[in-house]
């Protein structure tokens, strides 16, 4: 770990310590943490958050439940299938259903969609949201298939939201706003998304020759993303100083990997950076097994924080100046979400069970 201008680093990714952010924190303490967070998000767009609100035991339980779910046989997992198309993003997505890319989705080009899907993402996922968000109804496994899963994941969803609220407040302070609730007032918690991800073992050669991917380079759509990852590795972010080059975000135990989403970049007129990132081969040789150099299974849990339906994202005026005019037109979040999602999901046949 090195230190540069008050920011600690894990590899090439900054670390921000939230230990000093609590009910009794002074404005000075909050300002220092917030300034570090904003500085990290300006430079890299990614940051490790340590000493946050989610304890080790809770994170470990979340991964244990995730593994139990993915260890179910295919027939059981298909009792909670992702709905057809890209409008509702809930339930179980089998390998190959979703294709992540950085296409904006504003191109009416079926051939582009077809081309993007020629290289499959080898992953499976399960999407969870608020049970009080009718626009995105949850698709739960039957309780008798995995007793306790729904109860735990519902609690983890809302525990994660408590942490996200703290980060949104720090973001507002960090960019110089007097109102720490500026971003928070556009978020209710009900529009967020908890995603369980499993990357099964695959031959390393098939990733290296790009006949398949784990997850291609993309930016996240919403306000912020909080990611919990296991110790396998493979997450990479675009080098902020060299476009097209990627650097590893090596796992740091119990840390949250926080990244800025497209909306927050637009909101802040590029003051905060939404960076491209991808999942590829683990960086260490001991992550491979067998003659085929099979990658080890990887598990991660991202939590996407999104504003309320109908929220219009307009540039914060304090981020606009004569030297730095507004770069983005106002856009509705729900329209942007549908535009981006249209490139990721087709309606293929479900896998045989």
């Amino acid at each position: 770990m090195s230190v540069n201008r008050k920011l600690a680093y894990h590899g090439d990714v900054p670390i921000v310590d939230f230990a000093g952010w609590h009910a009794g924190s002074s404005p000075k303490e909050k300002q220092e943490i917030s300034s570090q967070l904003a500085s990290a998000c300006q430079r890299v767009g990614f940051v490790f958050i340590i000493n946050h609100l989610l304890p080790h035991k809770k994170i470990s339980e979340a991964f244990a439940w995730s593994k139990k779910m993915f260890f179910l046989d295919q027939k059981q997992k298909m009792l909670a299938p992702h709905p057809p198309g890209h409008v509702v993003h809930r339930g179980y997505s089998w390998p190959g259903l979703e294709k992540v890319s950085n296409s904006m989705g504003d191109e009416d080009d079926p051939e582009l969609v077809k081309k993007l899907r020629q290289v499959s993402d080898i992953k499976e996922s399960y999407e969870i949201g608020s049970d009080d968000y009718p626009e995105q109804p949850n698709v739960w496994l039957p309780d008798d298939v995995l007793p306790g899963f729904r109860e735990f994941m519902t609690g983890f969803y809302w525990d994660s939201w408590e942490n996200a609220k703290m980060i949104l407040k720090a973001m507002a302070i960090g960019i110089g706003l007097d109102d720490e609730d500026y971003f928070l007032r556009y978020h209710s918690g009900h529009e967020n998304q908890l995603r369980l991800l499993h990357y099964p073992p695959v031959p390393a050669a098939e990733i290296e020759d790009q006949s398949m991917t784990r997850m291609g380079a993309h930016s996240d759509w919403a306000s912020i993303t909080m990611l919990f990852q296991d110790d396998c590795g493979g997450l990479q972010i675009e080098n902020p100083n060299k476009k097209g080059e990627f650097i590893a975000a090596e796992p740091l135990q119990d840390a949250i990997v926080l990244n800025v989403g497209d909306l927050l970049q637009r909101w802040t007129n590029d003051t905060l950076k939404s960076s491209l990132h991808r999942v590829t081969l683990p960086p260490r040789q001991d992550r491979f097994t067998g003659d085929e150099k099979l990658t080890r299974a990887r598990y991660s849990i991202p939590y996407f924080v999104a504003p309320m339906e109908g929220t219009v994202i307009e540039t914060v005026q304090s981020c606009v100046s004569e030297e730095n005019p507004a770069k983005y037109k106002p856009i509705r979040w729900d329209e942007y979400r549908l535009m981006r999602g249209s490139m990721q999901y087709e309606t293929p046949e479900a896998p045989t069970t």
Side-chain angles (χ1 to χ4, degrees):
M1 183 185 296
S2 61
V3 177
N4 181 18
R5 296 183 183 177
K6 297 186 178 180
L7 276 176
Y9 280 77
H10 178 64
D12 294 303
V13 182
I15 300 173
V16 174
D17 188 344
F18 268 75
W21 189 294
H22 47 77
S25 297
S26 68
K28 183 179 178 181
E29 289 172 314
K30 286 187 173 183
Q31 181 65 63
E32 183 175 351
I33 294 168
S34 300
S35 296
Q36 289 185 345
L37 180 63
S39 177
C41 291
Q42 287 168 351
R43 296 181 192 182
V44 184
F46 272 73
V47 58
F48 286 106
I49 304 293
I50 61 173
N51 292 315
H52 46 77
L53 301 180
L54 289 156
H56 171 80
K57 183 175 183 294
K58 180 73 69 172
I59 297 170
S60 296
E61 283 184 274
F63 277 105
W65 277 109
S66 178
K67 289 179 181 180
K68 287 180 185 178
M69 195 280 298
F70 288 119
F71 283 169
L72 296 173
D73 64 42
Q74 193 67 22
K75 185 176 181 179
Q76 290 174 304
K77 288 184 283 192
M78 287 304 297
L79 294 172
H82 187 287
H86 66 275
V87 176
V88 176
H89 201 32
R90 295 291 183 264
Y92 172 69
S93 295
W94 53 93
L97 177 62
E98 182 194 40
K99 175 59 187 176
V100 173
S101 76
N102 204 44
S103 175
M104 292 300 294
D106 54 357
E107 312 94 337
D108 185 14
D109 188 350
E111 288 304 311
L112 175 59
V113 176
K114 185 177 179 181
K115 182 178 179 181
L116 288 171
R117 300 188 70 86
Q118 285 176 352
V119 179
S120 295
D121 285 358
I122 305 303
K123 66 182 189 305
E124 55 182 343
S125 64
Y126 189 92
E127 322 295 336
I128 300 164
S130 167
D131 281 325
D132 296 317
Y133 183 30
E135 290 83 357
Q136 294 281 316
N138 276 319
V139 184
W140 289 108
L141 289 166
D143 288 338
D144 60 348
V145 171
L146 194 56
F149 174 75
R150 178 175 181 171
E151 180 183 4
F152 177 85
M153 286 300 166
T154 298
F156 190 72
Y157 176 98
W158 290 110
D159 289 343
S160 298
W161 169 232
E162 288 303 310
N163 197 78
K165 289 195 289 186
M166 176 180 69
I167 291 171
L168 288 172
K169 286 172 178 280
M171 288 288 196
I173 295 171
I175 65 167
L177 296 177
D178 294 329
D179 180 7
E180 68 175 28
D181 292 330
Y182 182 88
F183 294 122
L184 186 57
R185 70 165 52 94
Y186 294 101
H187 298 76
S188 72
H190 291 291
E191 293 77 14
N192 301 341
Q193 178 183 319
L194 177 66
R195 164 174 255 205
L196 311 180
L197 271 167
H198 171 223
Y199 300 85
V202 294
E206 296 190 18
I207 302 294
E208 290 168 337
D209 68 14
Q210 299 184 354
S211 58
M212 62 176 62
T213 63
R214 291 198 124 172
M215 186 180 291
H218 64 286
S219 62
D220 291 343
W221 314 340
S223 301
I224 58 172
T225 302
M226 303 189 308
L227 174 73
F228 307 90
Q229 59 175 338
D230 67 7
D231 65 350
C232 179
L235 175 64
Q236 296 182 335
I237 61 178
E238 188 172 46
N239 186 334
N241 302 313
K242 192 171 182 181
K243 190 174 182 179
E245 179 180 282
F246 284 79
I247 55 180
E250 288 273 11
L252 181 62
Q253 186 176 12
D254 293 335
I256 291 173
V257 185
L258 174 77
N259 66 279
V260 174
D262 294 348
L263 292 191
L264 197 57
Q265 177 169 315
R266 296 177 71 105
W267 242 325
T268 62
N269 204 34
D270 292 352
T271 300
L272 304 177
K273 180 180 176 62
S274 178
S275 296
L276 288 178
H277 51 287
R278 66 187 185 186
V279 177
T280 183
L281 291 173
R284 301 177 186 173
Q285 289 305 308
D286 65 0
R287 298 299 192 254
F288 304 109
T289 59
D291 294 337
E292 290 185 291
K293 285 185 66 181
L294 285 176
T295 63
R296 204 182 85 186
R298 180 181 189 267
Y299 294 86
S300 66
I301 305 175
Y303 185 79
F304 303 100
V305 179
M308 292 178 281
E309 290 284 326
T311 297
V312 177
I313 309 303
E314 296 185 83
T315 303
V316 176
Q317 286 306 300
S318 61
C319 296
V320 176
S321 66
E322 211 172 294
E323 299 76 27
N324 185 35
K327 300 178 177 70
Y328 302 102
K329 294 179 180 179
I331 190 169
R332 280 175 56 112
W333 156 238
D334 45 341
E335 293 174 355
Y336 186 73
R337 172 175 57 81
L338 290 173
M339 180 178 71
R340 290 296 304 269
S342 67
M343 301 300 287
Q344 293 196 187
Y345 276 87
E346 289 186 316
T347 312
E349 292 183 9
T352 55
T353 56

